Amino acid sequence: MAVTGAPEVQREGRFNWFSGVFTPSILTVLGVIMYLRLGTTTGAVGLGVMLAIVVVTHLITGATGLSISSIATNRTVGPGGAYFMISRSLGPSVGSAVGIPLFLAQALSITFYIVGFAESVHLLAPSLNVFWVGTVTNILITGLSYWNASLAIKAQYFVMAAIGISLVSFFAGTTDAFPIADIEWAVPAISRDTIATFAIFFPAATGIMAGVSLSGDLKNPRKDIPKGTLWVILTGLLVYLAVPIWLALNFSNEELRTTENIMGAVAAIPALIFVGIWGATLSSALGSVLAAPRTLQALAMDGHVPRFLGKTAGPDKEPRVGTFITFTLAQGALLLGSLDTIAPILTMFFLATYGVVNLSSGLETWAANPSFRPTFKVPAWISLVAGIACFYVMSIINPGFMGIAAVVMAALYYLAQRRKVDSGFGDARQGLWAALIRTGVRRIRRGTTDGVSWRPNLMILGGEVQNRHYLLDVGSALVQERGLVTYLHFLEGDVEERAPERQELMAKYSEVFSRTHPNTFFRADIVSDVYEGAVSAAQFYGLGDFEANTIMFGWPRASGTVDQYMTMLRRLHVLEQTLLLVREPPEGFTNNYQNIHVWWTGTSGNGSLMLLLADLVSRHEEWRRAKI
């Protein structure tokens, strides 16, 4: 069943690069990890290792930001942010495989930030239960985003001011500072703790997706997304380098590991740290509440999830149903309860998304499709290396989680393929395959093929398909899935008269062969003479030096055409083609394949070729028990 994508929801842009990209993103980046975990992680691995983790993390997010900027400046980015970019680059099936986990990650990140807020409240009031504080918070922020997304964005300006003031208080305060020489740069060896620390820290950098996810609400996504995203990455890098250094100048590793609210312990006005924590966690949660429903809405518009999940309401077309679904998922995830439990799961989901975004940009650039003309150009190798790095980091953090993520994404891809979602939009896949073919053909130069690597690239001159099924069966058995077979049917006559018939045959048998003989392509050509057409086809069919090297015929049935048939064979022999003549037995081919007879003519003739062909046929599943 084919599912056709619905028209995209068009909103009038309400936000610019600062309000719609930088603000929600930076408030997510400078969030719960910075206030509640950066001291602990620095103490666990030492300052040197912590700074290395910060740098590696921002190299990955920096490259991803470049890839996002490249894709965003190539075309208008609609609702759905990262999902929209991936689906329009690598196709709807890949978009579904990544978009659904991305939505779940965004919903889960709400819980992550809410738990961070609840933990900070618990520090001040131990009698308050973290779960119930989180539940009330979830209801309030969801209600705000449900009724007025613009008000939610405006509220973040006050939050950003609160975070700025808390950082000023942090850097203005001090304890009895250590001498520089006494800073504990690292633990004796980089161990599993380093990997665990990376998994906990990495969600701090995933905030760059918060602004991208509001792509459908931006005034000018092609300019706003690159500008806002790159400024967020640079700002986040500077802050996350400065905070661990200042902590290490004031505390030992042991103190960093064991002191609660370590930033408050060094701040000039400790209360302002709590203001920053609450502002950062609540704004980050609010940003995810705004982002997740829009990703779900985009998935619904493209037909990957039920349509009603993308239902909108109000003049701004708010995704109200998606917001409710997001609230429900976030509330259920509150049962996990711990930042350290949720963080690695988020890391896996976001690393997978980052990896595919980078691959999308890198492959689009490498394929050099004429339609891919970004004004923000990024070398293909940067995006491709960053994409590979994302998946490598997943493998060292938790191979089990990576395996689960891979299985889930593969299953979603398979389901999308089975449903045959008709996206209604173009993507880069055809260009990628064309680029691979172009690269392969360039590698094949005349004179480089030898007997060791020779394999038949078969052209069958078979005439009416319904009369020559045995040629298809023998040809497929000979080539199997390791080569190409082209079945060529000649229509004798005038081009103008027979062109409609040619188109009809091409459409009919291309679809039939894709089901019955997947490695066989069908072509119909109009010629003035069938035998002359065969000689011409042998010379011109192919691409560059990748051409047919073996031609298969049926045995002539009409005695009046023998002279023309033999003339054709002599000419093809002069063209150094391998010729295979197949005569169907009177009883037809049966499934009782017991023997393959080779009439040996010695190595000086065609004996070696016949043995090779017999061996190739014997590898087919229906001929495996046959004796040569």
Side-chain angles (χ1 to χ4, degrees), residues 86-97:
I86 293 169
S87 62
R88 271 56 174 178
S89 293
L90 299 182
S93 298
V94 178
S96 175

Side-chain angles (χ1 to χ4, degrees), residues 153-437:
I153 290 290
K154 292 175 183 177
Q156 295 191 39
Y157 293 131
F158 296 99
V159 175
M160 187 158 57
I163 292 175
I165 293 171
S166 71
L167 288 175
V168 170
S169 175
F170 169 71
F171 287 110
T174 185
T175 61
D176 296 330
F178 282 10
I180 296 294
D182 292 340
I183 292 179
E184 300 177 59
W185 287 94
V187 292
I190 297 176
S191 63
R192 189 68 193 174
D193 289 341
T194 305
I195 298 173
T197 299
F198 181 90
I200 292 171
F201 175 78
F202 190 83
T206 61
I208 65 172
M209 289 296 182
V212 175
S213 297
L214 296 176
S215 55
D217 296 276
L218 298 174
K219 293 179 180 178
N220 190 343
R222 298 182 65 175
K223 291 184 178 180
D224 295 338
I225 289 176
K227 188 175 182 179
T229 300
L230 296 180
W231 272 111
V232 166
I233 293 169
L234 178 60
T235 304
L237 174 62
L238 294 176
V239 172
Y240 277 111
L241 289 175
V243 171
I245 292 174
W246 191 243
L247 288 172
L249 284 169
N250 286 278
F251 300 98
S252 66
N253 282 349
E254 179 64 25
E255 291 171 323
L256 290 172
R257 285 194 297 269
T258 58
T259 304
E260 290 185 335
N261 187 24
I262 193 70
M263 291 184 69
V266 72
I269 306 176
L272 292 178
I273 297 299
F274 279 97
V275 173
I277 293 174
W278 295 341
T281 52
L282 292 177
S283 65
S284 298
L286 190 56
S288 297
V289 170
L290 292 173
R294 284 159 173 78
T295 300
L296 183 62
Q297 181 185 36
L299 287 163
M301 288 190 296
D302 287 344
H304 297 300
V305 296
R307 300 283 187 198
F308 77 91
L309 296 179
K311 188 176 180 180
T312 61
D316 293 325
K317 296 183 173 61
E318 298 292 348
R320 299 271 171 89
V321 175
T323 301
F324 177 76
I325 298 296
T326 300
F327 166 81
T328 304
L329 291 173
Q331 184 62 30
L334 272 173
L335 297 173
L336 295 174
S338 169
L339 288 179
D340 296 339
T341 301
I342 300 171
I345 302 174
L346 280 181
T347 297
M348 285 293 162
F349 279 130
F350 279 114
L351 274 172
T353 303
Y354 281 16
V356 179
V357 168
N358 281 305
L359 292 180
S360 297
S361 175
L363 292 173
E364 286 249 43
T365 303
W366 172 72
N369 288 332
S371 61
F372 189 68
R373 302 185 300 274
T375 56
F376 190 99
K377 298 184 184 299
V378 178
W381 69 268
I382 291 179
S383 298
L384 293 175
V385 169
I388 295 171
C390 289
F391 295 112
Y392 173 72
V393 170
M394 289 176 68
S395 70
I396 64 175
I397 288 177
N398 194 315
F401 275 7
M402 180 185 180
I404 293 172
V407 169
V408 170
M409 294 172 72
L412 291 170
Y413 178 85
Y414 173 76
L415 290 174
Q417 287 283 82
R418 286 290 302 271
R419 294 179 69 233
K420 297 181 180 179
V421 175
D422 180 10
S423 61
F425 51 79
D427 57 67
R429 288 176 297 171
Q430 288 290 92
L432 295 177
W433 288 118
L436 286 172
I437 293 171

Side-chain angles (χ1 to χ4, degrees), residues 482-513:
R482 298 176 179 85
L484 295 178
V485 181
T486 302
Y487 190 99
L488 195 57
H489 173 42
F490 291 129
L491 296 172
E492 200 169 39
D494 182 73
V495 172
E496 293 183 359
E497 291 179 359
R498 307 206 68 173
E501 182 183 355
R502 175 181 181 272
Q503 293 296 333
E504 183 180 342
L505 286 172
M506 292 276 286
K508 174 183 176 180
Y509 285 111
S510 293
E511 194 276 331
V512 170
F513 282 14

